[in-house]
Each structure stands twice: as structure tokens, then as C-alpha cells.
Amino acid sequence: MKGEWVIFPGIPKKDRKSLNEYLAAGGYEAARKVLTQMGSQDVIEEVKKSGLRGRGGAGFPAGVKWGFVPRDVEGPRYLCCNADEGEPGTFKDREILLHVPHQLIEGMIIASYAIGANKAFVYVRGEFHKEAASLQRAIDEAKEKGFLGENLFGSDFSLDIVVHMGAGAYVCGEETALINSIEGRRGWPRLRPPFPAVKGLYGRPTIVNNVETLASVPFIISRGADEFRKYGTEKSAGTKLFAVSGWVKKPGVYERELGIPLKELLEDVCGGSRDGRPFYFVIPGGISAPPLTADELDVTMDYEALAEKGTMLGSGAVMVFPEGTCPVRVALRAIKFYEHESCGQCTPCREGSGWVARMLEDVEKGQLVGEDLELLADVAQNIFGKTVCPLGDSVALVTLGFLKKFREEFEKHLDAGRCPYAE
Amino acid sequence: MKVLSDTTVKRIKEEILPRYPEVTSAILPSLWEVQRELGWVSADAVKDIAEVLNVPAELVFDTLSFYTMFQKRPVGKFHIQVCTNVSCDLLGAMGVVEAFKKQLGVEVGETTQDGMFSLSTVECLGACGEAVVVQINDEYYTGVTPEKVAEILETLKRSA
Ligand SMILES: Cc1cc2nc3c(=O)[nH]c(=O)nc-3n(C[C@H](O)[C@H](O)[C@H](O)COP(=O)(O)O)c2cc1C
Ligand code: SF4
Ligand code: FES
């Protein structure tokens, strides 16, 4: 299958976790090449040319983002690697941390060099003790070998990487909240502009990239942007780690090229339905991506095709639900998550997520009166676009997405005065 | 120092602080250090951290209050946290919660009388492919079913 474990062969093979294993597989050659033969602008151009887009959710082109760092300011800049992996449904970055930590470190060396950072942080979600330990072990190995520290590969470039543990807050995955959290403050997202690339960590130019984004960079440098572009589509280049969970026989993390048909991913890669029950709906990009119903599954897994269907690729987290799943329950569970995780800074998100959750609870019990579904939509709609960070938007999009696609199911609850799915 | 041990103070000063360009960044790792040592973070511990780092105690309190993984009161020796987010819910997380409740004789958010077990529900643990996921202290237990709960509790009791 095209794009099968091209960039991350070490994940299924589990054969390059240690520094020696990684070196034997050609590891750190890309970093060496960058530091001994390339200027920082060359690196940025190559990554731009590759079309690599951010794998953390928003899909912003990585090279373009790096180019936003002002070249003429004196003083420190920072690279932050986002290993918060908080979007429900997402469990891919931990595979990188556990099995190919050196690939991430190498990507961070290259990115740091490109933006002129001598200090980088990896923000790891607080629950990931094993993952953080695996990464720290790799950092220590790299340091010992001189791949981190002073004068890397004989150049005058130095880099230090610090692992910083989060402590349980989904919103800290948002890049400006993440920056506040590294600064030791509550994880409140910041208003933009200024963008982190100009004024981020400690008020300095800062780039935040996802684990998978950074770990894809060594491939682009060693094999070239064109080789990367052989996979994926014109606008969604390369491969992606898909994390599939829910009602499939073989849930797990799979690298395939972007643009793989969703049905192929579910049927051929993940073995289809657990018990033969047909799929009812699929959330294609983490909980914040509106659902696709069974008759919408003829879609390819790339940024454009999913956006056309009113949803998104997000982090590549695919959640699969069989017939017999109550969509109201899933919507309610999602909104309760946002209610719990809202940082409380913006009134529409803080209050709105609570109102929407209460109303969905009433729908689930069949207690909301008919036209109140309009009110539900109205409350949700009113959160959209009025908040500091996109978490508030997700409350709106998820609610409206479920309401639009499963209107009849919502109404069935109200007609029956209870959840028709409850046994 | 009211509650922090010399080792912790030393670790904060010699290992944590030098990693960061600015001192406030040491707050989270220091809170982790204290929680690892004492099991939870008391008001006295917060004051100690503020003193070691030479930052206002209010700032440390403010940071502490924001993050759910810091325990603001003592918890059981084993903190059982069941993920009840969407993928785990689909594969029966609520049944797992019920099994823990029944076998421990506590509600969610409570600790057993002997101080051994605390039970919580949590949001997605980032391991949805192996649902149902339960975190007990630093360890992940995956593919948990109500039937496996008794065995998990037995193993924990034996290791205590
Ligand atoms: C509420 C919220 C949570 C987020 N959580 C994560 C996360 O856990 N991991 C991640 O990489 N990006 C997350 N993001 C996206 C980041 O803000 C940011 O776009 C990303 O880290 C940039 O990296 P990339 O361009 O390499 O994708 C989140 C965004 C929001 C609004
Ligand atoms: S939208 Fe919600 S989570 Fe984001 S900053 Fe506002 S209150 Fe906080
Ligand atoms: S939903 Fe339970 S680990 Fe993600």
C-alpha cells in the first residue's frame, strides 16, 4: 500500500529506538548535512518545497511558519515541540516518543537551526511518563555523543533540548497556552497578534510544531522534497500517521499516504467492523472534527477533501462508531469534554459550553421541547468566532455538526421522551 | 522549609532551575517533584516552592490551581483513573467504572477508608486504540474490561 511506513519504519519494526540502532539506519545524517552544508534559508526552502503541513491539527505549512521568524532581531529564539497529544482520539505522537525518539530529536535539530534557536522544549502531556522517559533517555544519549550541546557536527551551532511535563489540561495543546505553561503560568491561550513567531516564549520569537511534523523533517532533508511529494496529493503532500480507534477489528496507528480513501483505511488497513455491524458514523480528525455519516464515507483522507465535506483531517485521529451508537450521547460526551477543559477565559466558551452540555443532557433524556433544538443551535452558533482560541469554535462546530447530520435522531429522543438507544 | 526535604530542594536548585532561562518555568517541574515525593501538594509545599524559587506564593498557587493532575488533597496509595471519553465510552468504560465502584465500595472522587485506592474518571488518555484505558499512578492499563477489574485490584494489593 502506498506510503506504508515510509517515514516512520521504526514504529512497526521497533528497530531504531537506541542511538546506535538509529545510527545504523542512517540516523543523524540529515542533521549532519544541514549543519555542514546548508544555510538556514536553504533548509526553510526545502521544507517549503516539500509541502509539509503541520500534523498537530491546523495543517499550516511548516516551512512557511518557520519563515515568519524575523531574521534581523538579536537575542534568543525558541523551538517548542508540541507533545501534548490531547485531542481525544489521538494517540500517534506517543508512538514516535516511544519508538523513534531520535528521529524527533534530529528533526528538532534541523528546525532549530532553520529558525536560529539554541534552546528547544518538548511539552509532553503529564500522563506520558513512559513516553517522556523514552525521550529523555534519547536526549541523554544524543548529548553524550555530541549530537546535542555545543558545536554540533563541528559547526558553531549549539542546541539544548528540555523536556517539560504538562499536568493535565487539554487547552495547553493550543500553542499560546503551551507557551504560558512552559513559562510556569496557567495555560490560558493568548490573543493573537502578536503571533508566537514574532513574540512567543519569554516574549521571544518562537515556533511551535507538532511531534509528527518535526519527526518528518529528517526524511525531507535526506531524501529530498521531491521524494516526500511522491506521496499524498498536490496540496496534502506526504504521508500521515492515522490513529484509528473505536469499532474496527484492528485499531491502532498506521502510516499511509495522505489522500488514502477512508474506506480503504477502515476496511483493508483496520480490518473493518468488529462484529460485522455496519458503520454508522466516523469522526475523521479527532473529537473536534464534525462527523461523517455512513453515506459520506466515500472520501479521501486529505486536508482538502475533508474540508469540502465540512469536517477536517485535524490530527488524523479517526474514531469509528457502529450502528446502534447514540449520536446524541457522543455529542454530549464531546461537549462535556470541552466544558471540562474550557480554560474559562472567554465568557462564550465558559458559559456556552455549559449551556450546550445541559441542553444536550435534556435531549438525551428526551426532555427538551421541540423548538428548543433551534435554541440549542442558536446558543452553539453564538459561541463561534467570539473566543480567544479555537476551543470555543469546536463547541459550536461539533454541536452543529451532530445536530445537522442526526436531526432525526435528536427528534426521536424528544418524541420518545427518553433515549431510544438505552436498553 | 516546612515540608520539602533537603533532597527535593537540592534537586529544584541544581537540576530544575538551570534548565530554564526564566525562573517561573521551574514552577511546574517543582510541583511535580513535590507531588512525587509527598503524593500531593499542600499549601505549605506551595510556600516552600515559592521560597526556593524566590517567586510570589500567589503565582505558584495560581499555577497549581489550573492543572488537574496536581492533587490538592491527599489521594490513595493507588489512584485509579478511568478514561470515559468517546472511544473508551464506546467500548464500555462506564461498565469498568461501575466494576471499580462496586469492588472498592466507593463513588467516583472518593478514597477507600484504608487510604489504599482513589477512584476518578478522566478525559482521553491518548491511547484510544487500546480502549478501555485506565491509568493507575504512572502506569497505563489497556483493554480493560469489567471482568479484569478484580484481577487488577488483586495485583495492586499484593504489590502494596
Ligand atoms: C484546544 C487546542 C488543543 C490543541 N492540542 C494540540 C495537541 O495536543 N498537539 C498538537 O500538536 N497541537 C495541538 N493543537 C494545535 C496547536 O495550537 C498548534 O497549531 C500546533 O501545535 C502547531 O504545530 P503544527 O503546525 O506542526 O501542527 C491544539 C489546538 C487547540 C486550539
Ligand atoms: S475559547 Fe475557551 S479554552 Fe479558548 S481561551 Fe477562550 S475560554 Fe479558554
Ligand atoms: S478515549 Fe480513552 S484513551 Fe482516548
Short mmCIF file of all heavy atoms in Angstrom, two decimals, chain A residues 86-91 125 245 319 333, chain B residues 82-90 93 122-134 140, ligand 3:
data_model
loop_
_atom_site.label_atom_id
_atom_site.label_comp_id
_atom_site.label_asym_id
_atom_site.label_seq_id
_atom_site.Cartn_x
_atom_site.Cartn_y
_atom_site.Cartn_z
N GLY A 86 -3.46 15.86 23.11
CA GLY A 86 -4.64 15.93 23.97
C GLY A 86 -5.96 15.75 23.23
O GLY A 86 -6.98 15.46 23.85
N GLU A 87 -5.95 15.92 21.93
CA GLU A 87 -7.20 15.84 21.18
C GLU A 87 -7.77 14.42 21.29
O GLU A 87 -7.14 13.47 20.84
CB GLU A 87 -6.93 16.18 19.71
CG GLU A 87 -8.13 16.10 18.79
CD GLU A 87 -9.12 17.25 18.97
OE1 GLU A 87 -8.72 18.30 19.53
OE2 GLU A 87 -10.27 17.09 18.56
N PRO A 88 -8.95 14.26 21.90
CA PRO A 88 -9.48 12.90 22.05
C PRO A 88 -9.52 12.16 20.72
O PRO A 88 -9.94 12.70 19.71
CB PRO A 88 -10.88 13.13 22.62
CG PRO A 88 -10.72 14.36 23.44
CD PRO A 88 -9.79 15.23 22.63
N GLY A 89 -9.05 10.93 20.73
CA GLY A 89 -8.94 10.13 19.53
C GLY A 89 -7.50 10.03 19.04
O GLY A 89 -7.16 9.18 18.24
N THR A 90 -6.64 10.92 19.52
CA THR A 90 -5.27 11.00 19.01
C THR A 90 -4.30 10.22 19.90
O THR A 90 -4.28 10.42 21.11
CB THR A 90 -4.82 12.47 18.96
OG1 THR A 90 -5.88 13.26 18.42
CG2 THR A 90 -3.59 12.64 18.11
N PHE A 91 -3.53 9.33 19.27
CA PHE A 91 -2.54 8.58 20.07
C PHE A 91 -1.36 8.18 19.20
O PHE A 91 -0.82 7.09 19.31
CB PHE A 91 -3.17 7.35 20.73
CG PHE A 91 -3.98 6.47 19.81
CD1 PHE A 91 -3.45 5.34 19.25
CD2 PHE A 91 -5.30 6.81 19.52
CE1 PHE A 91 -4.20 4.53 18.40
CE2 PHE A 91 -6.06 6.00 18.65
CZ PHE A 91 -5.52 4.87 18.10
N ARG A 125 2.53 15.76 27.51
CA ARG A 125 1.38 15.72 28.41
C ARG A 125 1.72 14.96 29.69
O ARG A 125 2.47 13.98 29.67
CB ARG A 125 0.13 15.15 27.73
CG ARG A 125 0.18 13.70 27.36
CD ARG A 125 -1.16 13.21 26.81
NE ARG A 125 -2.20 13.20 27.83
CZ ARG A 125 -3.48 13.00 27.61
NH1 ARG A 125 -3.92 12.79 26.38
NH2 ARG A 125 -4.35 13.00 28.59
N SER A 245 -9.42 4.43 16.13
CA SER A 245 -9.97 3.80 17.34
C SER A 245 -11.46 3.57 17.15
O SER A 245 -12.06 4.02 16.18
CB SER A 245 -9.72 4.67 18.57
OG SER A 245 -10.44 5.88 18.49
N MET A 319 -12.19 8.11 14.52
CA MET A 319 -12.98 7.38 15.51
C MET A 319 -14.22 6.82 14.84
O MET A 319 -14.96 7.54 14.17
CB MET A 319 -13.38 8.32 16.65
CG MET A 319 -12.15 8.96 17.31
SD MET A 319 -12.56 10.53 18.10
CE MET A 319 -12.75 9.97 19.78
N ARG A 333 -21.03 13.72 25.13
CA ARG A 333 -19.75 13.37 25.74
C ARG A 333 -18.65 14.33 25.26
O ARG A 333 -17.79 14.75 26.03
CB ARG A 333 -19.41 11.92 25.38
CG ARG A 333 -18.26 11.36 26.17
CD ARG A 333 -18.60 11.36 27.64
NE ARG A 333 -17.40 11.21 28.47
CZ ARG A 333 -16.55 12.20 28.74
NH1 ARG A 333 -16.74 13.42 28.26
NH2 ARG A 333 -15.50 11.98 29.52
N VAL B 82 -10.09 6.23 35.32
CA VAL B 82 -10.67 5.55 34.16
C VAL B 82 -11.02 6.58 33.09
O VAL B 82 -11.71 7.56 33.36
CB VAL B 82 -11.96 4.79 34.55
CG1 VAL B 82 -12.47 3.97 33.36
CG2 VAL B 82 -11.72 3.91 35.77
N CYS B 83 -10.53 6.35 31.87
CA CYS B 83 -10.89 7.24 30.77
C CYS B 83 -12.32 6.96 30.35
O CYS B 83 -12.68 5.82 30.10
CB CYS B 83 -9.96 7.04 29.57
SG CYS B 83 -10.59 7.91 28.10
N THR B 84 -13.13 8.01 30.30
CA THR B 84 -14.52 7.83 29.87
C THR B 84 -14.82 8.68 28.64
O THR B 84 -15.96 9.00 28.36
CB THR B 84 -15.50 8.22 31.00
OG1 THR B 84 -15.24 9.57 31.40
CG2 THR B 84 -15.36 7.30 32.20
N ASN B 85 -13.78 9.07 27.92
CA ASN B 85 -14.02 9.84 26.71
C ASN B 85 -14.56 8.91 25.61
O ASN B 85 -14.71 7.71 25.81
CB ASN B 85 -12.75 10.58 26.26
CG ASN B 85 -13.10 11.85 25.49
OD1 ASN B 85 -13.68 11.77 24.41
ND2 ASN B 85 -12.77 13.00 26.03
N VAL B 86 -14.85 9.51 24.45
CA VAL B 86 -15.69 8.87 23.45
C VAL B 86 -15.27 7.44 23.05
O VAL B 86 -16.10 6.53 23.10
CB VAL B 86 -15.78 9.79 22.21
CG1 VAL B 86 -16.48 9.11 21.08
CG2 VAL B 86 -16.51 11.07 22.59
N SER B 87 -14.00 7.23 22.70
CA SER B 87 -13.61 5.89 22.22
C SER B 87 -13.66 4.86 23.34
O SER B 87 -14.00 3.70 23.12
CB SER B 87 -12.22 5.93 21.59
OG SER B 87 -12.28 6.60 20.36
N CYS B 88 -13.32 5.27 24.55
CA CYS B 88 -13.40 4.34 25.68
C CYS B 88 -14.85 4.11 26.08
O CYS B 88 -15.25 3.00 26.42
CB CYS B 88 -12.58 4.85 26.87
SG CYS B 88 -10.80 4.68 26.60
N ASP B 89 -15.66 5.17 25.99
CA ASP B 89 -17.09 5.05 26.29
C ASP B 89 -17.73 4.03 25.37
O ASP B 89 -18.48 3.16 25.80
CB ASP B 89 -17.76 6.43 26.14
CG ASP B 89 -19.22 6.41 26.55
OD1 ASP B 89 -19.56 5.67 27.51
OD2 ASP B 89 -20.03 7.12 25.93
N LEU B 90 -17.38 4.11 24.08
CA LEU B 90 -17.95 3.19 23.09
C LEU B 90 -17.64 1.74 23.45
O LEU B 90 -18.45 0.85 23.27
CB LEU B 90 -17.39 3.51 21.69
CG LEU B 90 -17.86 2.60 20.56
CD1 LEU B 90 -19.34 2.78 20.28
CD2 LEU B 90 -17.06 2.87 19.29
N ALA B 93 -16.46 1.87 28.88
CA ALA B 93 -15.79 2.47 30.04
C ALA B 93 -16.70 2.58 31.26
O ALA B 93 -16.25 2.39 32.40
CB ALA B 93 -15.24 3.85 29.67
N VAL B 122 -11.45 10.27 34.03
CA VAL B 122 -10.64 11.30 33.38
C VAL B 122 -10.98 11.39 31.89
O VAL B 122 -11.65 10.51 31.34
CB VAL B 122 -9.12 11.05 33.52
CG1 VAL B 122 -8.65 11.33 34.93
CG2 VAL B 122 -8.74 9.64 33.09
N GLU B 123 -10.50 12.47 31.28
CA GLU B 123 -10.68 12.64 29.84
C GLU B 123 -9.63 11.81 29.11
O GLU B 123 -8.74 11.24 29.73
CB GLU B 123 -10.57 14.14 29.49
CG GLU B 123 -11.69 15.00 30.10
CD GLU B 123 -13.10 14.63 29.62
OE1 GLU B 123 -13.23 13.77 28.73
OE2 GLU B 123 -14.07 15.20 30.15
N CYS B 124 -9.75 11.81 27.79
CA CYS B 124 -8.93 10.95 26.92
C CYS B 124 -7.46 10.89 27.35
O CYS B 124 -6.80 11.90 27.52
CB CYS B 124 -9.03 11.45 25.48
SG CYS B 124 -8.02 10.53 24.31
N LEU B 125 -6.96 9.68 27.51
CA LEU B 125 -5.58 9.48 27.95
C LEU B 125 -4.62 9.33 26.78
O LEU B 125 -3.43 9.06 26.96
CB LEU B 125 -5.50 8.25 28.86
CG LEU B 125 -6.11 8.44 30.27
CD1 LEU B 125 -6.29 7.11 30.97
CD2 LEU B 125 -5.25 9.37 31.12
N GLY B 126 -5.13 9.49 25.57
CA GLY B 126 -4.24 9.43 24.40
C GLY B 126 -3.75 8.03 24.09
O GLY B 126 -2.61 7.84 23.70
N ALA B 127 -4.62 7.05 24.30
CA ALA B 127 -4.25 5.67 23.98
C ALA B 127 -5.49 4.94 23.48
O ALA B 127 -5.66 3.74 23.70
CB ALA B 127 -3.68 4.98 25.22
N CYS B 128 -6.37 5.68 22.79
CA CYS B 128 -7.72 5.24 22.43
C CYS B 128 -7.77 3.94 21.64
O CYS B 128 -8.79 3.26 21.61
CB CYS B 128 -8.44 6.31 21.63
SG CYS B 128 -7.89 7.98 21.97
N GLY B 129 -6.67 3.59 20.95
CA GLY B 129 -6.64 2.36 20.17
C GLY B 129 -6.67 1.13 21.07
O GLY B 129 -6.92 0.02 20.60
N GLU B 130 -6.41 1.33 22.35
CA GLU B 130 -6.35 0.21 23.28
C GLU B 130 -7.42 0.33 24.37
O GLU B 130 -7.23 -0.09 25.50
CB GLU B 130 -4.97 0.12 23.92
CG GLU B 130 -3.86 -0.07 22.92
CD GLU B 130 -2.49 0.19 23.53
OE1 GLU B 130 -2.11 1.37 23.72
OE2 GLU B 130 -1.80 -0.79 23.82
N ALA B 131 -8.55 0.94 23.97
CA ALA B 131 -9.63 1.16 24.93
C ALA B 131 -10.13 -0.17 25.50
O ALA B 131 -10.05 -1.18 24.82
CB ALA B 131 -10.78 1.88 24.22
N VAL B 132 -10.61 -0.18 26.72
CA VAL B 132 -10.74 0.91 27.68
C VAL B 132 -9.40 1.14 28.40
O VAL B 132 -8.75 0.16 28.80
CB VAL B 132 -11.83 0.56 28.71
CG1 VAL B 132 -11.91 1.59 29.83
CG2 VAL B 132 -13.19 0.39 28.05
N VAL B 133 -9.02 2.40 28.55
CA VAL B 133 -7.74 2.71 29.15
C VAL B 133 -7.93 3.22 30.59
O VAL B 133 -8.79 4.05 30.86
CB VAL B 133 -7.00 3.78 28.33
CG1 VAL B 133 -5.60 4.01 28.87
CG2 VAL B 133 -6.93 3.38 26.85
N VAL B 134 -7.12 2.67 31.49
CA VAL B 134 -7.16 3.10 32.89
C VAL B 134 -5.73 3.45 33.31
O VAL B 134 -4.80 2.69 33.04
CB VAL B 134 -7.69 1.96 33.80
CG1 VAL B 134 -7.70 2.40 35.27
CG2 VAL B 134 -9.08 1.53 33.37
N TYR B 140 -0.22 2.80 32.57
CA TYR B 140 -1.44 2.63 31.77
C TYR B 140 -1.83 1.15 31.77
O TYR B 140 -1.00 0.29 31.55
CB TYR B 140 -1.21 3.06 30.32
CG TYR B 140 -1.38 4.54 30.05
CD1 TYR B 140 -1.22 5.49 31.05
CD2 TYR B 140 -1.72 4.99 28.77
CE1 TYR B 140 -1.37 6.84 30.78
CE2 TYR B 140 -1.87 6.35 28.48
CZ TYR B 140 -1.69 7.27 29.50
OH TYR B 140 -1.83 8.60 29.22
S1 FES C 3 -10.84 7.93 24.64
FE1 FES C 3 -9.94 6.78 26.23
S2 FES C 3 -7.83 6.95 25.82
FE2 FES C 3 -8.71 8.24 24.29
#
